Amino acid sequence: AAAAAMEGDALARYRSPLVSRYASAEMGFNFSERKKFGTWRRLWLFLAQAEKSLGLPITDEQIQEMEANLDNIDFQMAAEEEKKLRHDVMAHVHTFAHCCPKAAPIIHLGATSCYVGDNTDLIVLRDGFNLLLPKLARVIGRLADFAEKHADLPTLGFTHYQPAQLTTVGKRCCLWIQDLCMDLQNLERARDDLRFRGVKGTTGTQASFLQLFEGDHSKVEELDRLVTAKAGFKRSYMVTGQTYSRKVDIEVLSVLASLGASIHKICTDIRLLANLKEIEEPFEKDQIGSSAMPYKRNPMRSERCCSLARHLMTLVMDPLQTASVQWFERTLDDSANRRVCLAEAFLTADIILSTLQNISEGLVVYPKVIERRIRQELPFMATENIIMAMVKAGGNRQDCHEKIRVLSQQAAAVVKQEGGDNDFIARVRADPYFSPIHKQLESLLDPSSFTGRAPQQVAKFLKEEVRPALIPYQSKMGGKIELAL
């Protein structure tokens, strides 16, 4: 009774949060049943049109009947047919034939299930990349604006998460951008490398089509070319088994996993900077950071990106293992796995790109906090400059080095053992030995003199590498994005 009561209650069934909570409507539709089965019908139409143009006895009336029913899908009937036949493609062949009685004899003529299954997957993968690429370009564009704005702002660099030489806020952001630009190139390459499976038959030999065209090899080749072009592809794979090689799926998910790694690194950096109170992600007026600690401003968007990026990175293991066990011309143990991993990879990538765009559009920088941290560490970093200035003023390098070593150790003890501020410069000012350079100390401690060519690197990188890469996406850069949750 309880099960019956829940039957019509959508909230009583598990729904993937990738769709119900996070992903865009466009990417959700790309992997929807309506897109999938609507594409199947279009592929059957393309096949019939091409077969007719090459001389098979298919009428205009049959073609027109198919064209009129491309989206008129009776999903309930298809489900009932599949339950009876235990075959999803034949269930939809019967369902399509039901509303196209005149075309019924020529629907799926000469084809195998993978004609619609694999070719649809390739269309969906291509369209998925076309949805992701403008989103990635928007993230890069937003971060490029941020880097340009803060190109000159000195900040403490970290190696091993220990204080290191200074860099700038903009230069650090360029490290993020460079990784994402590599991802942009990788996604473009993976999309452009995709081919169509085409019209290959049950084991890839095209035997059924050769029989249909009475041994005319040129017509079989032309059929493959025509259907490939109708589907919007420039090339098809020259050889296939029953399926296209499952190594293609490895290539697709590898570039998405690599994107996941880039975003995980970026958002981890932001989370660490939030702890240091130097940079924060957007935090809305009524947002609650903690149910128990009202003062908290948790970096929940960056945490979400890291959480989902981990999932994205692990998904590449599925196609790796699937490709390795595809015996001979194919086995069906790829099917259920691919239903999950391909869709989830694109949905997850879609989510983390939207979230990172939202983050990058609202990053908040706290220059005073950054300046204070620099003041704590810069005196130690300035020791080499002080030694050089003393030598120029006539001092002995070895004597100066020993003086600085003693004073810096004393200052470090104040910081570490007493919790006080770094008083190294005050000690230098108080020591008569350093009197020849006392007037130079302010200039020797100017943070901008410790950032090297960071501002120039930012300007050159953005101008010569980043902005040109975004030109193809200028019309799709769009406005700000708001997160529903």
Side-chain angles (χ1 to χ4, degrees):
M6 290 188 294
E7 185 67 26
D9 184 0
L11 296 178
R13 295 184 179 185
Y14 173 79
R15 291 177 62 204
S16 169
L18 294 176
V19 175
S20 65
R21 188 174 178 89
Y22 298 127
S24 67
E26 295 82 4
M27 191 62 79
F29 174 76
N30 191 50
F31 287 92
S32 68
E33 300 286 271
R34 191 166 295 282
K35 167 81 176 267
K36 176 181 177 179
F37 297 124
T39 303
W40 283 13
R41 291 193 174 188
R42 283 162 176 79
L43 287 169
W44 282 319
L45 173 64
F46 296 159
L47 180 62
Q49 289 173 329
E51 289 174 335
K52 178 180 183 297
S53 72
L54 292 170
L56 291 189
I58 296 172
T59 67
D60 289 338
E61 192 175 20
Q62 288 173 314
I63 296 295
Q64 291 164 5
E65 189 178 54
M66 293 173 73
E67 289 175 332
N69 288 281
L70 292 176
D71 297 306
N72 178 29
I73 303 174
D74 187 337
F75 287 98
Q76 184 175 349
M77 179 182 177
E80 291 169 356
E81 287 288 326
E82 183 174 356
K83 189 174 182 179
K84 178 173 63 176
L85 302 173
R86 296 294 178 183
H87 198 289
D88 57 349
V89 173
M90 287 310 300
H92 278 270
V93 168
H94 289 186
T95 304
F96 196 18
H98 180 74
C99 56
C100 298
K102 294 175 183 176
I106 56 92
I107 292 173
H108 199 66
L109 182 60
T112 186
S113 297
C114 288
Y115 167 69
V116 288
D118 271 31
N119 282 325
T120 292
D121 286 345
L122 290 161
I123 290 170
V124 167
L125 295 178
R126 178 197 64 193
D127 293 351
F129 278 127
N130 285 334
L131 290 172
L132 291 180
L133 280 162
K135 292 193 172 194
L136 178 52
R138 284 197 290 270
V139 170
I140 293 170
R142 305 311 193 257
L143 289 175
D145 293 340
F146 178 85
E148 189 170 47
K149 180 179 179 181
H150 301 287
D152 301 322
L153 181 60
T155 190
L156 186 63
F158 289 94
T159 57
H160 315 276
Y161 201 38
Q162 302 299 314
Q165 287 190 346
L166 296 172
T167 182
T168 70
V169 171
K171 170 64 191 298
R172 175 179 285 148
C173 183
C174 284
L175 299 179
W176 304 340
I177 294 170
Q178 182 168 249
D179 287 352
L180 294 175
C181 284
M182 292 173 64
D183 293 314
L184 188 74
Q185 292 176 341
N186 288 338
L187 264 66
E188 289 174 337
R189 174 188 54 76
R191 178 199 60 188
D192 295 343
D193 282 351
L194 284 175
R195 300 190 195 186
F196 203 51
R197 178 188 177 275
V199 182
K200 297 297 195 296
T202 54
T203 57
T205 66
Q206 298 177 304
S208 58
F209 297 105
L210 192 62
Q211 186 175 3
L212 280 174
F213 289 103
E214 299 179 344
D216 190 330
H217 290 269
S218 63
K219 283 191 174 182
V220 176
E221 289 184 1
E222 181 64 5
L223 178 70
D224 200 8
R225 189 195 68 77
L226 285 172
V227 174
T228 297
K230 286 176 180 291
F233 286 81
K234 295 179 180 178
R235 299 180 297 170
S236 66
Y237 295 107
M238 293 186 70
V239 294
T240 72
Q242 189 169 84
T243 70
Y244 68 79
S245 171
R246 295 309 184 218
K247 280 185 71 69
V248 173
D249 296 343
I250 297 174
E251 293 296 308
V252 169
L253 264 65
S254 290
V255 299
L256 297 182
S258 184
L259 172 66
S262 299
I263 293 179
H264 199 297
K265 184 266 192 291
I266 293 168
C267 290
T268 299
D269 283 356
I270 293 172
R271 291 164 67 189
L272 293 170
L273 290 167
N275 174 260
L276 298 174
K277 297 181 173 60
E278 293 189 5
I279 290 179
E280 284 184 346
E281 66 176 38
F283 197 90
E284 295 170 20
K285 179 185 175 184
D286 297 322
Q287 183 174 330
I288 294 175
S290 167
S291 61
M293 295 168 280
Y295 58 87
K296 293 195 76 179
R297 293 169 66 92
N298 298 335
M300 53 81 66
R301 292 169 173 82
S302 298
E303 290 172 316
R304 176 184 298 174
C305 283
C306 290
S307 181
L308 290 170
R310 283 202 299 274
H311 178 57
L312 178 55
M313 288 186 281
T314 64
L315 287 172
V316 72
M317 291 305 300
D318 277 337
L320 281 169
Q321 296 185 67
T322 295
S324 72
V325 295
Q326 285 300 287
W327 306 342
F328 304 114
E329 279 66 49
R330 79 87 53 104
T331 66
L332 195 60
D333 63 348
D334 63 337
S335 179
N337 186 287
R338 295 175 70 252
R339 288 177 192 268
V340 176
C341 70
L342 295 180
E344 288 203 355
F346 278 86
L347 289 164
T348 306
D350 179 72
I351 296 159
I352 59 178
L353 282 173
S354 295
T355 308
L356 184 56
Q357 180 185 336
N358 177 262
I359 293 169
S360 61
E361 288 171 347
L363 284 174
V364 180
V365 178
Y366 295 105
K368 293 298 182 182
V369 178
I370 293 173
E371 182 184 350
R372 183 178 184 277
R373 184 158 285 109
I374 289 174
R375 287 201 308 268
Q376 286 288 316
E377 301 293 341
L378 189 60
F380 293 145
M381 297 177 193
T383 54
E384 188 64 22
N385 287 10
I386 293 173
I387 291 173
M388 292 301 100
M390 281 295 295
V391 170
K392 288 180 181 178
N396 179 284
R397 187 196 182 281
Q398 310 314 322
D399 293 341
C400 184
H401 183 279
E402 178 59 20
K403 283 276 189 182
I404 287 177
R405 187 189 69 81
V406 172
L407 295 181
S408 62
Q409 293 290 343
Q410 292 171 351
V414 171
V415 173
K416 295 179 179 179
Q417 298 173 20
E418 301 175 19
D421 292 334
N422 189 331
D423 64 358
F424 173 72
I425 296 302
R427 293 176 185 272
V428 170
R429 289 188 189 281
D431 192 324
Y433 175 80
F434 293 100
S435 58
I437 64 165
H438 280 169
K439 292 182 179 179
Q440 300 178 47
L441 286 176
E442 288 301 322
S443 61
L444 292 174
L445 289 167
D446 179 7
S448 63
S449 68
F450 290 84
T451 59
R453 298 192 63 254
Q456 290 74 23
Q457 288 178 348
V458 171
K460 186 177 178 68
F461 174 59
L462 296 181
K463 179 181 178 181
E464 297 185 10
E465 293 196 21
V466 180
R467 303 295 186 191
L470 300 180
I471 290 174
Y473 304 98
Q474 287 301 325
S475 63
K476 299 181 180 179
M477 295 304 278
K480 288 190 174 183
I481 190 169
E482 299 294 334
L483 299 181
L485 292 172

